[in-house]
Structure formats: C-alpha cells, structure tokens
Amino acid sequence: MEYFLIILITAIVSASIALAVYIFVKKKILNGKAEEIIANAQIKAENIKKDKIFQAKEKFLQLKGEHEKYINEKNSQIREMENNIKHKEACLNQQEKELQNKLKDTDNAKKSLQIQKEQLEKKSKEYNALSEQVNKQIEEISGMTATEAKNILMENMMAKARLEAQAYINDTIDEARLNAAKEAKRIVITTIQRTATETAIENAVTTFPIENDEIKGRIIGREGRNIRALEAATGVEIVVDDTPDAILLSAFDPVRREVARLALHQLVMDGRIHPARIEEVVAKVKKQLEEEILETGKRTCIDLGIHGMNMELVKLIGRMKYRSSYGQNLLQHSREVANICAIMASELGLNPKMAKRAGLLHDIGKVSEDDPELPHAILGMKLAEQYKEKPEICNAIGAHHEEMEMTSILSPIVMVGDAISGARPGARREVIESYIKRLKGMEDLAASYPGVTKSYAIQAGRELRVIVGAEEVSDEQANKLSADIAQKIQNEMTYPGQVKITVIRETRSVAYAK
C-alpha cells in the first residue's frame, strides 16, 4: 500500500512539473524558442522522473528492511515466551510429582497437595491462555496454523535426527568393532604367550617292563592265582601275552593303573609274590598314593598361590595328575587354564586370584566318583558348593560348557581359558579316523543347505568355508546361512574350541580374446 502511495505521489509531482514546463515552453514558444525549450523540458522531466522512481525504490527497501527487523524481533520475543512457558511447564510437572510423593506420606500432605493442585490448575489455566495467545500471534505472523507449523517442524527435525543418529550409530559401531577386535587380540595373545606348559599324553594302558619270562611266570602264579589276586585287589585288568619283556595294565581309571604299577614294582623288587603279600603291598601302595595325591594337590595350590581350599578339593586336584582329557593331562590342563584366567582377569581389571581358583577347579567334576550320570561341569559345581566355594566360582565351574546360565563375569573367562588351552595345537590328540569323520560331517552338514555348491573344512576343522551360487543366494541370505550353519554345528556336533563359518558368494564373468 505504501508502495502505491509513493508511486502516486511521484506521478502527481511529475505531472506538476510537466505542467510547469508546458507553461514555460509555451512562453518560450511565444518568445520564438519553443522547440529547444520543449526538448530540454522533456529531458529534465525524464531525469526527474527517474530520480523520483529511484528514491521511491530506496524508500521501499528501507521500509521493507525495517518491517523484517520488526518481524524478527517479534519472533524472538515469541520464542522467548515459548521457552519461559516450557520452563514453567517443567517446573509445574516437577511440583506435581513432588506433591504426588507427599500424598503418600501423611493426611496433612494430602491437604497441602489439594491446595497446591488448585494453584497448579490456576497456573495451568494461565499457561493455557498464554499459550493460546502465543499460538495466535505465531499464526498471524507465519500465515499458517500451529498444527501445520508443528508438523513441518517435527518432520524436519525427525529427518535430521534420523540422519545424525544413523551416522552416530555407524561411527560408534565401527569404533567399537575396531577397539574390541584389537583389545581381544591383545588379551588373548598376551595370555597365550605368557602361558607355556608342556602337555603330558596319558593312555588307558600302562606297560610294565619285566626282565625275563621267569618273572612273568612268577607274576602269573600257579594256575594264575597271583594275577587274579592282583586284579581283585587293584581293579585293573592285567594282560599277559606273547609280548616280550612287558605286561600290560589296562583300566580306564589312571589311579588304579598307577596303584597296580607301583605294587608290581615292589613285588618284583621284593621277590615274594603270593596272594597275601599282594594284598599287603597293594594296601600299602594305596596309602602311599593317597598321600602323594594330597601332596600333589597342596603343591599345586601353593604354586598357584591359592589358599584356604577344603582338603577334599585339594585331594581331587591331586587326582587330576592321573587323569586325562582328550589325551591332555588334566592337572596340567587345569593349571594352564588357571594361569590363562588369571592373566585375562588382570587385563580386564578383575580379581586374578578368584579367576585362577575358578580355572583350577573348572574340571574338578571329572575326577569325582559320585553321580557319574551328571555332566562333569554340573558335578564340579555341586562339589564346589558342597565345600563352601564362592557363588561366582561355582557358577564359573558349572557354566564353562554353557550347560547353565552364566551369572558371573568369571564364567566367560573360564570358558575362554578352557577353549584356549584345549584348542592349542599339540595340546590334545585325536584319533585320525574320528578326526576325518568330524571334518567330513561338517562339510556334509554345510552341503545339505540349498544354494551351497561346495564346502571345505580347513585349519584342522576350525574353519568351514562354504561357497554358494550367486544366482541362488543373495547377500542377505548368505549372512543368514552362515548363522544357521554355525547354530546347527553347535547343536549337533562335538568339536574342540570354536569353528569359524565363512560363506563366499561371488559372480565371475569370463571372456576370451582370440
């Protein structure tokens, strides 16, 4: 409106000037100089017109800037009012929560709450009135309703927040993966390098050397009575065959085999071999071996710095010396796991003594003669509970093969330490037939899935590479396939350590230039 007013004023001024010029020119014409005067008057009128239009535009821009400044100031005031309202609303919400808490305490608090609620309602009405006034002002200035402005603002903020959140999530995940991989490698490598123990290989058969067939005959006795007495006293099967200069002692219990070996050694050295003497020597050797087992357990605890353990558990630790697990001496394995767990606990800022104690006792159920039908982990946990070990240690023993839920941070450390010790090349031996059968079973299991063209078990069965057809299996299906195969191997197969499943999907285009 102001713009049109300026133009109108400009037009009126221009017309007045033109009229004056016309009168002036008319007089000049009368004076004989009409043409020159008219030309000059037209030029001057045009210049004046341009100047006035330019001045009008400048005035318009100035007024427009002042108007925008005024609008911005109003918007700032409105935003400040909104912030104040939000602050008051937050204060009111806080007051309401405090009043609700006081309501539960006493009857007096209820009366006070009623008064404050009335004040809250009053302030709420004031807030609503003020909020409506602000909303009306915003609607008048912006030219849109509050709902439309709110929806636009929310959509813009949500879109921006999604992008920022996704970028932050991706950065966080990448950083966590990088740091986790580095930290895990460092801890495992440090643990393996600092733990270097030799592993003894034990059999189910002990060979007892003899000098000649005369001693073999004395061991057999008249009609085999000496052998029968020795087998009855020790519980070991004695195999006497055509093998020169040797007798085989066969039993699954290494302690019994050791008793039979020591008893035979004393009988041969003494020369007196008969049933009464055999029973006497076997009883004496059993007592000596029990003392040696107790001493071995004590020495192991002292070497590892473990104190305050029940003597029955110490005896079971000593019995580990004469037991094996997959060809790996159980005591050496438990000592190794104890050291691994202690190192890992130290690296993670946990208690290394408790971790070492749990690692030493994790296979204690393998040497117990009670409840043979229970898994050794659960049996070991019950023994630890019986002899008053801490709940964290008991849970670590019972959960190291995932046969129960892990409730302690020591449990995954013991499980990892057991896997590291058992998975080390050379720690355990495996019959070649069962080894080949296990690898073939893994390959056949992977080949049973649709879309799989080839499967290879490599790295002694610790990695399974599965090749799928690019036309039949997508990238998303390949990810799911690796997880499915891993889950099926975990549920249906027995294997030491862990198995890595790698699904390979690729497209190859081959052409020949002739």
Side-chain angles (χ1 to χ4, degrees), residues 78 89 125 160 188 252 274 280 287 365 447:
I78 291 171
E89 184 180 7
K125 291 178 180 178
K160 185 177 180 181
V188 172
F252 286 108
H274 52 81
E280 178 185 351
K287 185 177 180 181

Coordinates of all heavy atoms in Angstrom, one line a residue, residues 78 89 125 160 188 252 274 280 287 365 447:
I78 N 8.5 -14.1 20.8 CA 7.6 -15.3 20.9 C 8.4 -16.5 21.3 O 7.9 -17.3 22.1 CB 6.9 -15.5 19.5 CG1 6.0 -14.3 19.3 CG2 6.2 -16.8 19.5 CD1 5.4 -14.3 17.9
E89 N 6.2 -25.0 32.5 CA 5.6 -26.3 32.5 C 6.4 -27.4 33.1 O 5.9 -28.3 33.9 CB 5.3 -26.7 31.0 CG 4.6 -28.0 30.8 CD 4.3 -28.3 29.3 OE1 4.9 -27.6 28.5 OE2 3.6 -29.3 29.1
K125 N -4.2 -22.8 33.9 CA -5.1 -22.0 33.1 C -4.3 -20.8 32.5 O -4.5 -20.4 31.3 CB -6.3 -21.6 33.9 CG -7.2 -22.7 34.3 CD -8.3 -22.2 35.2 CE -9.3 -23.4 35.5 NZ -10.4 -22.9 36.4
K160 N 16.3 -34.9 10.2 CA 17.7 -34.5 10.5 C 18.2 -35.4 11.7 O 19.3 -35.9 11.6 CB 17.7 -33.1 11.0 CG 19.1 -32.6 11.3 CD 19.1 -31.1 11.6 CE 20.5 -30.6 12.0 NZ 20.5 -29.2 12.3
V188 N 44.2 -62.1 24.3 CA 44.4 -63.5 24.0 C 45.9 -63.8 23.7 O 46.5 -64.8 24.2 CB 43.5 -63.9 22.8 CG1 43.9 -65.3 22.4 CG2 42.1 -63.9 23.2
F252 N 40.4 -97.9 32.8 CA 40.1 -96.5 32.4 C 40.5 -95.6 33.6 O 40.6 -94.4 33.3 CB 38.6 -96.4 32.1 CG 38.2 -97.0 30.8 CD1 37.5 -98.2 30.8 CD2 38.6 -96.4 29.6 CE1 37.2 -98.7 29.5 CE2 38.2 -96.9 28.4 CZ 37.5 -98.1 28.4
H274 N 52.8 -113.6 46.2 CA 51.7 -114.6 46.5 C 50.5 -113.8 47.0 O 50.7 -112.6 47.3 CB 52.2 -115.6 47.6 CG 52.7 -114.9 48.9 ND1 51.9 -114.4 49.8 CD2 54.0 -114.7 49.3 CE1 52.6 -113.9 50.8 NE2 53.9 -114.1 50.5
E280 N 48.8 -107.1 50.9 CA 49.5 -106.3 51.8 C 50.2 -105.1 51.0 O 50.1 -103.9 51.4 CB 50.6 -107.1 52.5 CG 51.4 -106.3 53.5 CD 52.5 -107.1 54.1 OE1 52.5 -108.4 54.0 OE2 53.4 -106.5 54.8
K287 N 47.8 -96.4 50.2 CA 48.0 -95.4 51.2 C 49.1 -94.4 50.8 O 48.9 -93.2 50.9 CB 48.4 -96.0 52.5 CG 48.5 -95.1 53.7 CD 48.8 -95.8 55.0 CE 48.9 -94.8 56.2 NZ 49.3 -95.5 57.4
G365 N 34.9 -81.9 38.4 CA 33.9 -83.0 38.3 C 34.4 -84.2 37.5 O 33.8 -85.3 37.7
A447 N 26.8 -78.7 3.1 CA 26.3 -79.0 1.7 C 24.8 -79.3 1.7 O 24.2 -79.3 0.6 CB 27.1 -80.2 1.1

